[in-house]
Structures are given as C-alpha cells and as structure tokens.
Amino acid sequence: MEPNTKVTSVIQVEQLVKVYDTGEVPLRALDGVTLEIARGEFVAIMGHSGSGKSTLMNVLGALDHPTEGHYLLEGENVGEMDVEELADLRNRRIGFIFQSFNLLPRLTALQNVMLPIRYRVENRVTADEREDVSIAALESVGLGERLHHRPNQLSGGQQQRVAIARALVNQPSLLLADEPTGNLDSKSSEEIMGIIQTLNRQGVTIVMVTHESDVANHARRIIHMKDGKILSDGKNGNHQERAA
C-alpha cells in the first residue's frame, strides 16, 4: 500500500475505544477519542499514569488494535490491514523513539541504524546503499565519529541519538516518541529535544508522549488526557524553540 500524498492529515482517529479485560471489571483505556494531526505538526500528549496516553500511542503506532473506532494513517484505514501490511507499515512509515533506547547491545551504532532497512519488504537496497543511508542518518544527529561504537560505549544521550537515526532511516511519514528524555539528564534532554525540533522544522510529523511540562513545551500543540478521554487540545502558548 502506498500513502495518499494528497491527504493533508497524517493521523485521523474517530471515536477510538480500547477496553482491556482485566477480570472482574473491564478497563476502558480509551473512551471515544477523536483526533486529527496534520502533516508537519509537532504534538505532545500529556496525562498522568492511567490517562490513556500510552494506549493511544500504541494504537497510533499500529502496535495495538482499538476495540472500536477508526484510525486512518495518511488516508488509509489501518484497521483493514493484515499482519504483514501492519509490519510493513511500522517499518516504512512510522519511526519509533523509546525511553529505553531499545538498541541491540552487540551491534554497533551503524548496525543498529541499518536494521530497519534490512527488514524492508519493498524497495530493497544493496548493502553499500544501506550503509551509506545509515551513515548519513547518524551524521545528521551528530554521531558521524561514533559509527562503530556499541551502546555500552555511548552515553545515554548518544544512545538516544542512535535511536533517532534508526527511527528516521526509512524516511517515515510519522515519528512517535514515547518519553524520549525519560532516561536522560537535563543537558542531554535539551540536546535531544533540539534535534527533535529540528526534524519538525524539516517537515517531520511528530507525536510525543511525556509527563514533563518542560519537555512538552517544545511542541507546538499539547493534548491533555484523563481517564481515556481528551481533556484539552490546543496550541502551546509556552512553546520553546531550541536549536539542535
């Protein structure tokens, strides 16, 4: 499936409901969420533990299915995709940045970044092309001199830069960041948020989950959730622009 490039919204969700069977009382993690995110936006989703923000992120990342409702990614109905199509969607069109970096410890930074290209179903490239593209991705986040370092030879901030490069290497339509600075000190956090803002200025659509207001203030739009519902959704009046 190819994305519909005429669609201006990257994300359109309507009346999303997610119910988990926890035994005696079902848990309604999402309760009628309707949301639209345009191409090129930078959106932060905030809320306390149990608010539904992580469940929403999992649905947007095609890692979980809603119990009810519809999710369109660039105009295509994610709910109608089979297992292979979903795997291809996650690999080619969604980039993921996690709090815990999720790098393979025995692989170098370059090898970690090359992995998503290796698993591409369509448009396969040669080994030399994979390496060239991955080197360029690492250079774009300031790690051109750390190509052959393993994760345990890198600082937390450097590991997250590798994770960002890996998320971007297939040029996804959407970048999902789940507490991207959660394991970093304040200086590294600012550096990572500077990189994320630069990516957004370059046109990358970003949705970020965080519980920290100072991190959320780097986004241009903030959504607050509670009990599986959207409490507020609007332009961030405290937006802070940072250079990478």
Side-chain angles (χ1 to χ4, degrees):
M1 289 185 176
E2 290 299 323
N4 184 350
T5 56
K6 294 182 180 180
V7 176
T8 57
S9 295
V10 173
I11 291 172
Q12 291 174 286
V13 298
E14 183 176 355
Q15 293 298 313
L16 285 187
V17 173
K18 180 63 181 181
V19 179
Y20 292 104
D21 184 4
T22 59
E24 296 181 1
V25 180
L27 174 63
R28 202 173 181 88
L30 294 178
D31 191 6
V33 172
T34 295
L35 174 66
E36 185 169 345
I37 296 176
R39 194 180 307 280
E41 280 201 271
F42 182 5
V43 180
I45 301 176
M46 299 190 70
H48 296 297
S49 178
S51 65
K53 64 184 188 299
S54 295
T55 300
L56 178 58
M57 180 70 87
N58 286 338
V59 171
L60 296 181
L63 297 169
D64 201 356
H65 295 280
T67 306
E68 300 174 18
H70 301 283
Y71 171 26
L72 302 182
L73 180 65
E74 295 185 301
E76 293 185 9
N77 192 335
V78 176
E80 294 179 349
M81 296 181 181
D82 61 27
V83 173
E84 290 185 359
E85 288 173 324
L86 287 172
D88 187 47
L89 176 84
R90 289 190 295 267
N91 183 254
R92 289 192 305 115
R93 293 167 57 185
I94 304 175
F96 295 91
I97 304 173
F98 300 99
Q99 176 178 345
S100 56
F101 317 137
N102 288 3
L103 302 178
L104 296 183
R106 295 186 179 181
L107 300 185
T108 64
L110 180 58
Q111 290 169 333
N112 268 284
V113 173
M114 289 172 64
L115 281 177
I117 312 176
R118 187 181 291 270
Y119 292 124
R120 269 200 325 220
V121 175
E122 299 177 358
N123 303 321
R124 292 192 179 278
V125 296
T126 66
D128 286 343
E129 290 172 328
R130 284 200 303 269
E131 184 169 315
D132 289 343
V133 170
S134 300
I135 289 173
L138 283 164
E139 288 176 342
S140 74
V141 296
L143 288 181
E145 297 181 355
R146 298 287 189 273
L147 302 178
H148 304 296
H149 287 62
R150 289 183 170 80
N152 65 359
Q153 298 172 311
L154 300 171
S155 69
Q158 289 171 334
Q159 289 183 62
Q160 192 62 294
R161 287 173 184 246
V162 175
I164 292 172
R166 180 185 58 191
L168 294 172
V169 74
N170 276 337
Q171 298 182 318
S173 308
L174 173 65
L175 184 62
L176 299 178
D178 188 359
E179 301 283 3
T181 63
N183 285 340
L184 304 178
D185 59 36
S186 57
K187 182 176 184 295
S188 296
S189 295
E190 280 296 306
E191 292 173 351
I192 292 302
M193 292 313 302
I195 291 173
I196 290 175
Q197 283 189 319
T198 297
L199 294 172
N200 179 242
R201 288 195 295 268
Q202 293 170 349
V204 179
T205 305
I206 299 170
V207 179
M208 175 180 68
V209 162
T210 182
H211 67 277
E212 300 180 54
S213 58
D214 57 336
V215 173
N217 280 334
H218 291 82
R220 296 181 181 275
R221 173 181 170 192
I222 298 180
I223 295 170
H224 289 272
M225 295 189 67
K226 183 178 180 180
D227 298 330
K229 298 181 179 181
I230 292 178
L231 282 184
S232 64
D233 178 358
K235 184 177 179 180
N236 178 17
N238 297 317
H239 174 251
Q240 301 173 3
E241 196 71 22
R242 293 286 187 273

